[in-house]
Amino acid sequence: MRIEICDVGPRDGLQNDPKILEPEVRAELVNRLAGAGLPRIEAVSFVNPARVPQMAGAEQVVAAIDRTPAVLYAGLVLNEKGYDRLARTSLDDVHFAFAATETFNMRNSNATVEESMQTAGRIVTRAHEDGIRATVTIGASFGCPFEGKVDPGRILDLAARLVETGPDEIVFADTIGVAVPKQVKHLVAEGVKLGRPVAVHAHNTRNTGFANAYAAIEAGASVLDASVGGVGGCPFAPRASGNIATEDLVYMLHGEGIETGVDLDELISVAGWLEDVLERQLEGQVYRAGTFAPVAG
Amino acid sequence: MRIEICDVGPRDGLQNDPKILEPEVRAELVNRLAGAGLPRIEAVSFVNPARVPQMAGAEQVVAAIDRTPAVLYAGLVLNEKGYDRLARTSLDDVHFAFAATETFNMRNSNATVEESMQTAGRIVTRAHEDGIRATVTIGASFGCPFEGKVDPGRILDLAARLVETGPDEIVFADTIGVAVPKQVKHLVAEGVKLGRPVAVHAHNTRNTGFANAYAAIEAGASVLDASVGGVGGCPFAPRASGNIATEDLVYMLHGEGIETGVDLDELISVAGWLEDVLERQLEGQVYRAGTFAPVAG
């Protein structure tokens, strides 16, 4: 069995970090992740640099990537303007994301959910015409910081409509890290019935992220998002941690006998490098505790 | 469905902390945990204070506990000398622990595994004669810091022999936090066939602890150890984190629809109190991120 991991550290991880990294450094992170065998990397987002200065210079980041043929290089967009920028780069994959609740989506994308649904369809169509892969992420699939609980039936309705537009993947995102395994299992099990690969984007904000990833796999997810070192905070909870750490996920998956294509030792050294770059201890644990190597007796 | 949680923070948590707390403060922690509805608390260990100064004065801790009738108050012992001390207190429950591997057990208990197996039998018998509950923990059930991988067949053989001595529970402990869900599922599923309640003691050293707890429940475990705030490091990995955090476990279990009897908000306030006492940010995440309460839109 194999699970595809998409490292979203260069995007979701760094976009919330207090330290702003230059495009060259962000490209180096992407290159190091590719060197560790990550099959997919969300390298940049095409958003307004005035709103998210951490993500400024997406085009420079892409230009500085040393392409590894086996890797899918992706960029996040929230609207067609973002897609216009992405389409002019050499990226392979567009990740369009929106939030399932009106308040969150209006704040994040200045659009109604219905407007974002229409945009999703247009971007998927345009991307495929342009020879670019396209996935759609339903943010706040398990809970919204403004509206609270989210009805899974509503998420599945959105997913069903999105599938009709032909995306390469549907991603259920626990944007604020509130999900528990039961919820993940339900959405994924129902989601895969729609006939498209299902991915889960888990945050470890409340320490449920790895159990959620495990439940996602049990229910049939084929792709998991994670970020090296577990970087990526949450603007709504200043002391909260970020995405599930890629190296910790790989430790668990390899232990389960699931292939990822990732070289865990290499990935741990990327986390160590990123710790130096960000000048703080990261949330990931395996890079600190080490893999399981008995000490000298 | 209900899962019994045993909070081992006052013992496993504090025994590795750089800050040594006075018996009165440790008793206050026990009392606060009881106030939050924890049904079981491992309050002390009866070990040599010269070796583990954090655990000195176990008798004073027990004497300072305000007994809540519904709570099982437990103490850890590694040998009969420890049991002699415990039997003179008002504790309800003895937790005898040993490591499944020779090197680890010799270092930790100065005994061979076979010697500890004999001690386990004697302590269970003596405890039951004394009207005290008795559980046996098999440490390093999933991996040993000195000997590496541990054969699950060997653990199950030890468990089968221990069950013959009549303990109230068998605990599989991932003492160094290396286990993955697959291993936990296997040991628990086989363990419950022996006819005694099975508990799992998980550490979150490599971020697999909560997925392991989830897998333990799926496989039929009825008791889980955890420590408030996730306190409890590992002497073999200085930057590693400790036990799974009780409040994070409760967040997950309640989300799953599993009862624990714990008041999560109360428990979160205990973690906040402990942060102040230990003067450092704790490993638990829910007490920092908060439970899932939407912010004002």
Side-chain angles (χ1 to χ4, degrees):
Chain A
M1 186 182 177
R2 184 184 163 100
I3 291 285
E4 295 280 309
I5 298 177
C6 178
D7 199 299
V8 298
R11 199 278 305 169
D12 202 16
L14 297 183
Q15 78 176 12
N16 279 304
D17 208 87
K19 190 162 178 185
I20 297 179
L21 304 183
E22 293 300 318
E24 296 69 37
V25 183
R26 286 150 55 201
E28 183 175 352
L29 174 58
V30 172
N31 291 335
R32 285 175 182 263
L33 290 170
L38 261 302
R40 303 190 187 189
I41 303 166
E42 195 174 272
V44 291
S45 74
F46 296 93
V47 289
N48 184 348
R51 284 193 63 187
V52 191
Q54 291 93 334
M55 292 290 104
E59 287 81 356
Q60 289 106 291
V61 174
V62 179
I65 292 174
D66 293 325
R67 302 276 311 195
T68 298
V71 176
L72 268 181
Y73 294 93
L76 182 84
V77 308
L78 302 179
N79 49 44
E80 283 193 88
K81 215 160 137 184
Y83 178 74
D84 292 339
R85 288 174 63 193
L86 183 144
R88 289 191 292 269
T89 70
S90 61
L91 290 174
D92 312 300
D93 195 7
V94 56
H95 292 174
F96 174 75
F98 70 102
T101 54
E102 297 295 347
T103 318
F104 199 173
N105 201 50
M106 191 53 73
R107 289 205 175 203
N108 213 44
S109 300
N110 196 30
T112 66
V113 172
E114 201 48 45
E115 285 166 349
S116 286
M117 287 288 288
Q118 300 299 325
T119 306
R122 284 196 300 273
I123 287 177
V124 169
T125 303
R126 287 184 60 189
H128 286 168
E129 284 169 6
D130 296 341
I132 294 173
R133 238 179 137 270
T135 76
V136 179
T137 294
I138 306 177
S141 279
F142 305 93
C144 166
F146 307 106
E147 300 185 18
K149 286 193 197 304
V150 172
D151 172 17
R154 175 176 159 76
I155 302 298
L156 291 167
D157 285 345
L158 294 175
R161 284 178 57 201
L162 289 168
V163 162
E164 286 170 25
T165 69
D168 292 280
E169 218 160 80
I170 294 287
V171 187
F172 295 119
D174 184 20
T175 314
I176 57 168
V178 294
V180 293
K182 189 181 192 172
Q183 290 177 288
V184 175
K185 248 183 169 163
H186 175 65
L187 270 198
V188 172
E190 294 300 313
V192 293
K193 291 181 190 165
L194 300 172
R196 284 283 160 181
V198 168
V200 168
H201 175 99
H203 280 246
N204 201 35
T205 317
R206 287 166 184 81
N207 252 330
T208 60
F210 294 90
N212 289 340
Y214 177 75
I217 295 168
E218 280 192 317
S222 45
V223 181
L224 293 171
D225 285 359
S227 80
V228 60
V231 291
C234 175
F236 306 111
R239 297 211 299 166
S241 71
N243 295 86
I244 56 173
T246 314
E247 63 280 12
D248 297 8
L249 178 63
V250 169
Y251 177 87
M252 181 173 85
L253 295 184
H254 288 187
E256 294 288 299
I258 295 170
E259 289 171 30
T260 65
V262 175
D263 181 325
L264 180 54
D265 290 330
E266 277 296 317
L267 185 58
I268 285 171
S269 73
V270 179
W273 171 83
L274 188 59
E275 177 182 79
D276 290 343
V277 168
L278 294 176
E279 299 177 290
R280 64 175 179 88
Q281 182 174 294
L282 308 181
E283 290 78 4
Q285 305 222 16
V286 168
Y287 94 93
R288 284 182 267 147
T291 53
F292 179 34
V295 299
Chain B
M1 186 181 178
R2 184 185 164 99
I3 290 286
E4 294 279 309
I5 299 177
C6 179
D7 199 300
V8 298
R11 199 278 304 170
D12 202 15
L14 297 184
Q15 77 176 13
N16 279 305
D17 207 88
K19 189 160 179 184
I20 298 179
L21 304 184
E22 292 301 317
E24 297 69 38
V25 182
R26 285 150 55 203
E28 184 175 351
L29 174 57
V30 172
N31 292 335
R32 284 175 183 263
L33 290 170
L38 261 303
R40 302 189 188 190
I41 302 166
E42 195 174 272
V44 291
S45 75
F46 295 93
V47 290
N48 185 348
R51 284 193 64 188
V52 191
Q54 290 93 335
M55 291 291 104
E59 288 82 357
Q60 288 106 291
V61 174
V62 178
I65 292 174
D66 292 325
R67 303 275 312 195
T68 298
V71 176
L72 269 181
Y73 294 92
L76 183 84
V77 307
L78 302 178
N79 50 45
E80 284 193 88
K81 216 160 134 185
Y83 178 74
D84 292 340
R85 289 174 63 194
L86 182 144
R88 288 192 292 270
T89 71
S90 61
L91 289 173
D92 314 300
D93 195 8
V94 57
H95 292 175
F96 174 75
F98 69 101
T101 54
E102 297 295 348
T103 318
F104 198 173
N105 202 49
M106 191 53 74
R107 290 205 175 204
N108 212 44
S109 301
N110 195 31
T112 65
V113 171
E114 200 49 43
E115 286 166 347
S116 287
M117 287 288 287
Q118 300 300 324
T119 306
R122 285 196 300 273
I123 287 177
V124 169
T125 303
R126 288 185 59 191
H128 286 168
E129 286 169 3
D130 295 341
I132 294 172
R133 238 179 137 269
T135 76
V136 180
T137 295
I138 307 178
S141 279
F142 304 94
C144 167
F146 307 106
E147 301 185 18
K149 284 191 198 304
V150 171
D151 173 18
R154 174 175 160 75
I155 302 299
L156 291 167
D157 285 347
L158 294 175
R161 284 179 56 202
L162 288 168
V163 162
E164 286 170 26
T165 69
D168 293 280
E169 218 161 82
I170 294 288
V171 187
F172 296 119
D174 184 19
T175 314
I176 57 168
V178 296
V180 294
K182 189 182 193 171
Q183 290 177 288
V184 174
K185 246 182 172 165
H186 175 65
L187 270 198
V188 172
E190 294 300 313
V192 293
K193 292 181 189 165
L194 299 172
R196 284 283 160 183
V198 168
V200 168
H201 176 99
H203 280 245
N204 201 34
T205 318
R206 288 166 184 83
N207 252 330
T208 59
F210 293 90
N212 290 339
Y214 177 75
I217 295 168
E218 280 192 316
S222 44
V223 181
L224 293 171
D225 284 359
S227 79
V228 59
V231 290
C234 175
F236 306 110
R239 294 212 302 165
S241 72
N243 295 87
I244 55 173
T246 313
E247 63 279 12
D248 297 8
L249 178 63
V250 168
Y251 177 87
M252 181 171 85
L253 296 184
H254 288 187
E256 294 289 299
I258 296 170
E259 289 172 29
T260 66
V262 175
D263 180 325
L264 180 54
D265 290 328
E266 277 296 315
L267 185 58
I268 285 171
S269 73
V270 179
W273 172 83
L274 189 58
E275 176 182 80
D276 290 341
V277 168
L278 295 177
E279 299 177 290
R280 63 177 179 86
Q281 182 174 293
L282 308 181
E283 290 78 3
Q285 306 221 14
V286 168
Y287 94 94
R288 284 182 269 147
T291 53
F292 178 34
V295 298

